[in-house]
Amino acid sequence: MYHYAQPHPAVTTDVVLFTIRAGRLELLLVRRRHEPFAGCWALPGGFLDIDEDLDTCAARELEEETGVRGVYLEQLYTFGAPERDPRERVIAVAYYGLAPADTIEVQAGSDAGAAAWFARDALPGLAFDHARIVELAHRRLAAKLSYSTIALQLLPREFTLSRVQAVYEVILGRPLDKRNFRRQLLALGCLQETDEHQRDGNHRPARLYRVRAPQTVAFFK
Amino acid sequence: MYHYAQPHPAVTTDVVLFTIRAGRLELLLVRRRHEPFAGCWALPGGFLDIDEDLDTCAARELEEETGVRGVYLEQLYTFGAPERDPRERVIAVAYYGLAPADTIEVQAGSDAGAAAWFARDALPGLAFDHARIVELAHRRLAAKLSYSTIALQLLPREFTLSRVQAVYEVILGRPLDKRNFRRQLLALGCLQETDEHQRDGNHRPARLYRVRAPQTVAFFK
């Protein structure tokens, strides 16, 4: 049917930004200054300007509310349950990203009374349906480990395989078998051996690797 | 910032429905009855009702415009470039699906002057940015072959591995090495051998398989 003249919903973008700090998977939240859910923690985000691109809106709202800029964000999913916002119909285009904590400086701004990192497994109650958005973002991130180099964004230019495994284990929230992990990771074909080694504590020197090409891996070649 | 009172965009859902017919990957298009792009082919879709769920809108618009109902659709991506619709700002939440042609009856309705299947590699010029939406849907479908049982939706309950390979080759648009394909497919762990065999033309009888569990495959177990 031709609904062109019907009332339009509001559209927001909301961002789930993950990092790893002190061996934990954490994400960035802001404390809402305004109703609804004033005082409650929520994902950084806000309303789309009428002439603004969706990606631009996600980056702008993230920066306005948390001071964080220049991180790579990817569209996750669009949430549109009719009752998800008590004010009016609001469609939320959710984004997610993964960035090294040491490159990020957080500073609350505009609609946010505060901005802070929270461990994914110890989140406060979240405004709206943001807990569902976080859950999907975590599932997508975990799934993406198996066919992309997304987790390698958290590593320095050269790294040992133990360090990669530690990142995977933190994101997946469980230990991985060392031999299977290495076999599967190397089979993705995205790592390149270097001639360098690094001494890990009391262990014998471990080889350093680097990323061959930071891209998605084609499984059926 | 607090954009609550600003003008709102329109929101649509648009559907890329794939099938395989006569050994070709095809998708369902409708001929637009109204401006803009009147007379042009486009994806089935239309405006969201203000109290309607996104998934419901996708299914409703597909049925209204093509008569097709009851197919499984998954959200693909949300397209929101500011100039993508000449009328006003329109955000398109795109969906895609894959269904067996022989279960689908197509019949044009409402805003669509006609509805028909087109081969993916011989599409007419499409309205709006629908060519980009189709391209992303095809890439997503191809990527999904490597970690899900999505392609098995096109097969009968029991099937030979040659038949699975044929479906993959049609979707990917290129031949696959038989031995590698079988090894990788079986390694996904989603197929179950039966004790039955089927004679394929002059070849020796080929074993029949069935789907163990129609789910996404976890790579890092």
Side-chain angles (χ1 to χ4, degrees):
Chain A
M1 301 232 316
Y2 201 60
H3 287 278
Y4 184 48
Q6 292 222 348
H8 291 358
V11 172
T12 66
T13 60
D14 295 289
V15 172
V16 187
L17 184 62
F18 291 108
T19 196
I20 292 180
R21 291 202 318 168
R24 297 194 310 184
L25 184 64
E26 298 193 342
L27 55 97
L28 189 56
L29 298 178
V30 296
R31 194 192 279 276
R32 288 177 61 82
R33 205 194 280 276
H34 303 291
E35 292 295 346
F37 299 103
C40 201
W41 292 93
L43 296 172
F47 291 99
L48 180 72
D49 283 342
I50 197 63
D51 57 356
E52 184 182 40
D53 191 67
L54 292 167
D55 295 1
T56 307
C57 180
R60 174 182 59 75
E61 285 285 349
L62 178 64
E63 182 174 0
E64 283 181 6
E65 298 197 335
T66 70
V68 172
R69 57 182 295 172
V71 299
Y72 174 72
L73 299 174
E74 201 166 299
Q75 202 189 97
L76 170 69
Y77 198 78
T78 296
F79 291 78
E83 308 298 335
R84 58 178 298 283
D85 191 308
R87 290 168 293 190
E88 62 168 334
R89 185 73 194 278
V90 179
I91 308 293
V93 183
Y95 282 74
Y96 78 118
L98 180 65
D102 53 13
T103 66
I104 300 180
E105 201 179 331
V106 171
Q107 192 172 15
S110 74
D111 297 345
W117 295 102
F118 285 83
R120 189 202 62 90
D121 54 9
L123 294 180
L126 298 184
F128 307 106
D129 53 358
H130 288 186
R132 276 192 62 210
I133 299 179
V134 169
E135 194 195 321
L136 182 65
H138 181 237
R139 261 193 285 144
R140 182 78 61 88
L141 178 64
K144 208 160 181 182
L145 292 183
S146 66
Y147 63 88
S148 83
T149 56
I150 190 169
L152 306 176
Q153 292 173 26
L154 294 184
L155 296 171
R157 215 172 81 86
E158 299 194 342
F159 44 80
T160 63
L161 295 183
S162 301
R163 183 127 182 221
V164 183
Q165 185 172 342
V167 168
Y168 273 61
E169 289 179 336
V170 167
I171 293 173
L172 295 172
R174 58 191 162 79
L176 297 169
D177 176 76
K178 180 170 162 176
R179 268 184 57 191
N180 280 338
F181 175 76
R182 292 187 173 207
R183 187 173 45 74
Q184 292 186 305
L185 184 70
L186 294 175
L188 290 178
C190 50
L191 295 190
Q192 186 171 13
E193 271 188 22
T194 71
D195 295 330
E196 309 295 314
H197 291 74
Q198 187 178 65
R199 194 169 284 280
D200 268 353
N202 294 324
H203 304 295
R204 64 191 175 91
R207 186 181 290 279
L208 287 167
Y209 288 77
R210 69 165 68 111
V211 177
R212 190 192 298 277
Q215 62 193 11
T216 295
V217 176
F219 187 64
F220 285 103
K221 294 198 182 78
Chain B
M1 302 232 313
Y2 201 61
H3 286 278
Y4 185 48
Q6 292 222 349
H8 292 358
V11 172
T12 65
T13 60
D14 295 288
V15 172
V16 187
L17 184 62
F18 291 107
T19 196
I20 293 180
R21 291 202 319 168
R24 298 194 309 184
L25 184 64
E26 298 194 340
L27 55 96
L28 190 56
L29 297 177
V30 296
R31 193 192 280 274
R32 289 178 60 82
R33 207 193 279 276
H34 303 292
E35 291 295 344
F37 298 102
C40 201
W41 291 93
L43 296 172
F47 291 101
L48 180 72
D49 283 343
I50 197 62
D51 57 355
E52 182 182 42
D53 191 68
L54 292 167
D55 295 1
T56 308
C57 180
R60 175 183 57 74
E61 285 285 350
L62 178 65
E63 183 174 358
E64 284 180 6
E65 297 197 336
T66 70
V68 172
R69 56 183 296 169
V71 298
Y72 174 72
L73 299 174
E74 201 166 299
Q75 202 189 97
L76 171 69
Y77 198 78
T78 296
F79 292 77
E83 308 299 336
R84 59 178 296 284
D85 191 309
R87 291 168 293 190
E88 63 168 333
R89 185 72 194 276
V90 179
I91 308 293
V93 184
Y95 283 74
Y96 78 117
L98 179 66
D102 54 13
T103 67
I104 299 180
E105 201 179 331
V106 171
Q107 191 172 16
S110 74
D111 296 346
W117 295 102
F118 285 83
R120 189 202 63 90
D121 55 9
L123 294 180
L126 298 183
F128 307 107
D129 53 359
H130 289 187
R132 276 192 62 210
I133 300 179
V134 168
E135 192 195 322
L136 183 66
H138 181 238
R139 264 194 284 145
R140 182 79 62 88
L141 177 65
K144 209 160 182 183
L145 293 182
S146 66
Y147 62 89
S148 83
T149 56
I150 190 170
L152 305 176
Q153 292 172 26
L154 294 185
L155 296 171
R157 216 173 82 85
E158 301 193 342
F159 43 81
T160 62
L161 295 183
S162 301
R163 183 125 182 222
V164 182
Q165 184 173 342
V167 168
Y168 273 61
E169 289 179 337
V170 167
I171 293 173
L172 295 173
R174 58 191 161 80
L176 296 169
D177 176 75
K178 179 170 163 177
R179 268 184 58 188
N180 281 337
F181 175 76
R182 293 188 172 205
R183 186 174 45 73
Q184 292 186 305
L185 184 71
L186 294 174
L188 291 177
C190 52
L191 295 190
Q192 187 172 12
E193 272 187 20
T194 72
D195 296 330
E196 309 295 314
H197 291 74
Q198 188 180 64
R199 193 169 286 280
D200 268 352
N202 294 325
H203 304 294
R204 64 192 175 91
R207 188 180 290 279
L208 286 167
Y209 288 77
R210 69 166 66 114
V211 177
R212 191 192 297 277
Q215 62 195 10
T216 295
V217 175
F219 187 65
F220 285 104
K221 295 200 182 76

